[in-house]
Amino acid sequence: MAASCMRVLGRPGISLFSRAALPGPCRAYGTGGAGFRSKLFGAAPVRGGGGRVLGCAFLLGGGLGLYHTVKLSFQHQFAQQQTTRVESGNLRLTLYQYKTCPFCSKVRAFLDYYGLPYEVVEVNPVLRKEIKFSEYRKVPIVLVDMGEILQLNDSSVIISALKTYMISRDKTMQQIISYYPEMRSKNEKGKEVVEYNNKYWVMLTEQETVQVYPVKDSRKEEMKWRRWADDLLVHLISPNVYRTPRESLASFDYIVREGKFGPLEGFFAKYVGAAAMYVIGKRLKSRHNLQDDVRQDLYKAVNEWVAAIGKKREFMGGDQPNLADLAVFGVLRVMEGLQAFDDMMSNTKVRAWYRRMELATQQHLGRQ
């Protein structure tokens, strides 16, 4: 939200909001086998066609009952094994973040939903001394301590890699990280840009794919909307929260209050930053081809998301949120408490879905 502001305000190498992304492989297991058999216990024989029909009914009913029993047992064991993998692996996570960054918020939404314990280190957006250990100078960064410290960069990579690790029982975190190679290039201004291949992929075997994505094309749908959250939705946040001088000041009051600033830095960021970002917000509007009333672009995007979920699903993931739900929720959540958020809730159809997501993350429903 405020990365461009810090570049304008003095540039000791600052960026208030940065991106991160990640994909990876997963594995699921089932129960049951050849030893399962249904038995009909003796009853008096029934004569005629009615007896055959009744016998078929008993067989059908018994078969369906057995199917649902095995299915529930399969799903229960699969869920238990996901939890066991994380707990038995002594997975300790530290998230380096700016609290008001939409990409950091995406990662928190994922960690909260799945009930993964983690520590938070709030990074000073000016000096960034908290991440001086890292050549990668953006947030979020997640350190994974498994006896050896491993670093995950980019919000989508972080999410995809951790999701892979939760499910896959035959891959180490080191192997999983290797699936998301770093790619360096230079943009049109000659500045080096770091991207990550495969970041929207959760790496799965064929068997695992069927278990995790049982509905046809649900995996493609999840990846499509995760990318949409990064490439479109996130770029609507700054023009909307800095839309007017009053909104810009309110946004920076929130950023300073929730962030890690010294007294002088906070004063400077709040007043000079608010003025600068109001101007920059106008440039962003032009860069992303937004309407004069940028609220309309926000409403349109949010309603497009709700329409894609449809009326028959509670979440994009069906009965439970998937990674696209968590990404979109994480991005929108950073506007809470600001006028743009209130307007969005009043003028779109997102409220019911948003409240369900709020409950799911607060209660760590993914742990179940």
Side-chain angles (χ1 to χ4, degrees), residues 33 38 45 49 56 58 69 96 103 109 111 119 126 146 152-153 159 166 187 194 234 257 274 283 286 306 336:
S38 62
C56 288
F58 272 108
T69 300
Y96 291 80
F103 298 105
L111 296 174
E119 295 182 6
V126 178
M146 305 177 67
L152 298 174
N153 305 326
I159 291 167
M166 288 169 61
N187 61 19
V194 178
V234 76
R257 187 172 65 250
R283 295 181 188 172
S286 174
V306 175
E336 279 196 29

Side-chain angles (χ1 to χ4, degrees), residues 164-205:
T164 296
Y165 181 79
M166 288 169 61
I167 300 171
S168 178
R169 300 188 62 81
D170 60 355
K171 294 178 177 64
T172 65
M173 183 59 79
Q174 291 93 329
Q175 287 176 306
I176 292 169
I177 292 174
S178 71
Y179 301 142
Y180 309 101
E182 181 179 281
M183 307 294 290
R184 294 178 179 268
S185 61
K186 290 188 177 180
N187 61 19
E188 63 278 2
K189 296 181 180 179
K191 181 181 177 181
E192 187 176 69
V193 177
V194 178
E195 258 299 347
Y196 293 87
N197 270 358
N198 309 321
K199 64 184 182 181
Y200 299 110
W201 277 90
V202 178
M203 306 298 184
L204 305 172
T205 66

Side-chain angles (χ1 to χ4, degrees), residues 213-287:
Y213 300 104
V215 178
K216 184 181 179 182
D217 293 332
S218 58
R219 187 183 196 181
K220 291 180 181 179
E221 182 182 52
E222 179 184 80
M223 293 172 64
K224 169 189 171 181
W225 289 98
R226 288 181 70 190
R227 185 178 289 109
W228 177 86
D230 286 353
D231 292 346
L232 188 146
L233 185 63
V234 76
H235 296 301
L236 298 177
I237 304 299
S238 290
N240 273 278
V241 299
Y242 304 127
R243 184 181 64 152
T244 66
R246 181 187 294 272
E247 287 183 83
S248 189
L249 187 61
S251 297
F252 264 87
D253 180 65
Y254 167 61
I255 289 169
V256 170
R257 187 172 65 250
E258 297 293 338
K260 186 175 183 179
F261 292 87
L264 184 59
E265 292 170 344
F267 179 85
F268 184 67
K270 180 176 178 178
Y271 292 100
V272 180
M277 285 308 295
Y278 169 66
V279 174
I280 291 172
K282 302 299 183 185
R283 295 181 188 172
L284 292 173
K285 180 173 70 173
S286 174
R287 180 188 301 175

Side-chain angles (χ1 to χ4, degrees), residues 6-7 20 24 28 41 46 57 79 112-113 149 190 286 289 336 368:
M6 285 308 183
R7 288 194 289 272
F41 292 92
V46 181
D112 290 342
Y113 173 69
I149 304 295
S286 174
N289 299 313
E336 279 196 29
Q368 302 172 13

